[in-house]
Amino acid sequence: METAGELAPSARILLGPGPSNVHPRVLKTLSTPLVGHLDPEFLRVMEETKALLRFVFQTKNALTLPISGTGSAGMEACLVNLIEPGDEVIVGVNGVFGTRMVDIVERCGAKAITMEVPWGNVFTPNHLQDALNSCHRPKLVALVHAETSTGAWQPLEEIAPLVHQAGALFVVDAVTSLGGCPLQIDAWGIDACYSGTQKCLSCPPGLAPVTFNQAALDVIHERKTKVQSWYLDLTMIEKYWGEERVYHHTAPVSMNYALREALRLIQEEGLEARFRRHQRNHMALAAGLNALGLPLAAQEGHRLWMLNSVTIPPGIDDAAARRQLLENYNIEIGAGLGPLRGKIWRIGLMGESSTRSNVLLALSALEEILQKQGYRVTPGAGVGAAQAVYAAA
Ligand SMILES: *Cc1c(COP(=O)(O)O)cnc(C)c1O
């Protein structure tokens, strides 16, 4: 085999469902020297990262740390630690990630009770009440806050009291929402929550921040059976990330540097300012897409700021359009997943990718590409509508 050349990845504009663009300061930390994972300097990195995670999660939970693995490892960590064989578990399924949770719940030997609404819609307290009435004693209720496969934004505050009245734990997937829209672990009564680094935290993929409150910890400590996953067993991981520093696995040192730096950037920007930025860019993009005749697909009033799913107009070649965006503009957007494949595009405005210039570029690029495929639009309509939103803000 010929010697492979040095990598020279293109500087893509990442407007898909993740990863999002990464700040140069985060990239720089990835090329700083390694220290050992039990080096006092790395222990300080661990402590600082836990404190910064408590800030973004808005929690005082002691057990708040990044699992070594991507967002799905966070999902699996929450479920395998809290669930034992025979448990009843209610899962909201309105997209790909609810489906994934059901798969894990069943692999735990638990009984999954699914609540379903059409993809793109969200669950109301009534949906949950019906599900609670249909089971005996649910161990937990799991919902996806930001369904990245559809763009739907699930309200959580009104759901939590019902979950607790039923004596269950409330588990939330915040992989896409954390750092992009309000999420209050303590104030909203969320017992366990997981996220990922490559969405609104704008860090490369590779770590999964999780947080567990005392009620969730009690459930873990009172288990009758061993956690079925050795790698994700929190009773061991909490000792590695806690005072004892008992070796469990080798934390990915460089990824933890990167996460710490990405979280520092969030702290510098401020959560409120960051959320307002995501909201403003979403509103501008939505106005522009609407002016191009591309309506947003998720349920009205429940559309995410960081993930915009748009209906592909009839007659447009999905794959060709996305390829042209990538080749001519360096822009990545996401395709539809599962039943939505070929029906929607997913335009992400996550973390560092959520900027005014990206919104305007995406709208003009889409206009040109759609016109090439014979789709009629008023020239400049999308950009004009977006500019009007920025001017009014
Ligand atoms: C991306 C995502 C996941 C999975 O994360 P990976 O990093 O791809 O493993 C889970 N849930 C939601 C809502 C996501 O957007």
Side-chain angles (χ1 to χ4, degrees):
M1 189 185 118
E2 222 177 294
T3 314
E6 191 176 345
L7 261 189
S10 296
R12 299 287 197 218
I13 297 163
L14 297 173
L15 305 183
S20 56
N21 286 119
V22 173
H23 192 283
R25 262 171 54 188
V26 174
L27 291 176
K28 192 170 146 222
T29 62
L30 286 165
S31 59
T32 54
L34 288 190
V35 296
H37 73 125
L38 297 173
D39 186 306
E41 287 184 21
F42 189 68
L43 301 190
R44 204 156 61 237
V45 169
M46 293 168 93
E47 285 310 304
E48 288 166 353
T49 304
K50 286 194 291 183
L52 287 160
L53 282 176
R54 286 186 196 108
F55 161 69
V56 294
F57 272 125
Q58 295 284 286
T59 184
K60 294 196 167 60
N61 290 343
L63 187 57
T64 303
L65 53 82
I67 295 283
S68 304
T70 65
S72 304
M75 178 189 288
E76 195 144 14
C78 283
L79 296 174
V80 298
N81 281 279
L82 296 174
I83 299 173
E84 292 191 69
D87 285 343
E88 290 179 318
V89 175
I90 297 177
V91 183
V93 179
N94 57 348
V96 166
F97 296 102
T99 312
R100 187 171 297 179
M101 286 202 276
V102 171
D103 191 352
I104 297 174
V105 165
E106 288 173 345
R107 286 166 194 246
C108 293
K111 181 175 175 221
I113 293 133
T114 58
M115 294 190 287
E116 294 191 35
V117 289
W119 286 32
N121 288 25
V122 297
F123 299 96
T124 64
N126 285 340
H127 289 121
L128 179 64
Q129 196 55 59
D130 289 346
L132 289 168
N133 293 343
S134 78
C135 57
H136 190 62
R137 181 144 185 356
K139 181 78 161 286
L140 61 89
V141 173
L143 287 181
V144 179
H145 190 202
E147 224 334 322
T148 323
S149 65
T150 67
W153 185 346
Q154 174 63 49
L156 301 174
E157 282 177 85
E158 58 199 43
I159 300 273
L162 289 178
V163 175
H164 294 140
Q165 272 159 35
L169 293 173
F170 193 23
V171 176
V172 168
D173 175 321
V175 176
T176 284
S177 55
L178 187 68
C181 66
L183 172 66
Q184 307 244 358
I185 297 300
D186 292 355
W188 295 357
I190 296 165
D191 298 293
C193 185
Y194 59 90
S195 190
T197 44
Q198 78 274 25
K199 316 263 169 124
C200 288
L201 300 183
S202 273
C203 190
L207 292 174
V210 297
T211 186
F212 290 73
N213 69 9
Q214 193 57 48
L217 258 180
D218 290 346
V219 165
I220 297 174
H221 292 148
E222 285 157 17
R223 289 179 66 99
K224 292 183 192 67
T225 57
K226 268 190 172 183
V227 175
Q228 51 271 57
S229 164
W230 180 89
Y231 192 68
L232 298 173
D233 185 338
L234 276 163
T235 62
M236 291 188 281
I237 294 173
E238 75 173 331
K239 292 200 180 85
Y240 178 49
W241 276 84
E243 297 279 294
E244 305 94 324
R245 303 290 174 194
V246 180
Y247 166 65
H248 175 251
H249 66 284
T250 310
V253 172
S254 308
M255 270 309 299
N256 279 281
Y257 293 170
L259 175 58
R260 175 182 171 282
E261 194 61 19
L263 295 170
R264 266 163 38 85
L265 283 160
I266 295 177
Q267 195 182 35
E268 285 167 29
E269 181 175 14
L271 286 177
E272 279 309 316
R274 193 176 178 88
F275 300 155
R276 275 199 306 279
R277 171 165 64 82
H278 280 82
Q279 180 179 27
R280 191 164 55 241
N281 290 321
H282 157 75
M283 284 169 55
L285 181 70
L289 290 170
N290 199 42
L292 291 177
L294 302 174
L296 290 184
Q299 186 180 341
E300 192 154 13
H302 297 283
R303 291 170 179 162
L304 291 171
W305 296 337
M306 69 291 284
L307 194 286
N308 303 272
S309 58
V310 0
T311 309
I312 303 173
I316 296 296
D317 182 337
D318 169 24
R322 283 184 292 108
R323 194 177 54 248
Q324 285 161 10
L325 278 176
L326 195 66
E327 286 174 1
N328 302 343
Y329 291 90
N330 237 352
I331 295 176
E332 174 181 277
I333 64 167
L337 291 179
L340 297 175
R341 183 149 197 101
K343 299 208 172 93
I344 62 164
W345 287 320
R346 295 180 299 149
I347 306 177
L349 293 172
M350 299 180 178
E352 289 297 312
S353 296
S354 176
T355 67
R356 177 180 177 146
S357 55
N358 284 349
V359 167
L360 299 177
L361 180 64
L363 288 168
S364 44
L366 272 173
E367 178 185 314
E368 189 196 279
I369 278 154
L370 290 173
Q371 261 175 345
K372 266 195 201 139
Q373 291 200 24
Y375 181 81
R376 295 265 150 266
V377 282
T378 318
V383 167
Q387 293 281 30
V389 170
Y390 288 121

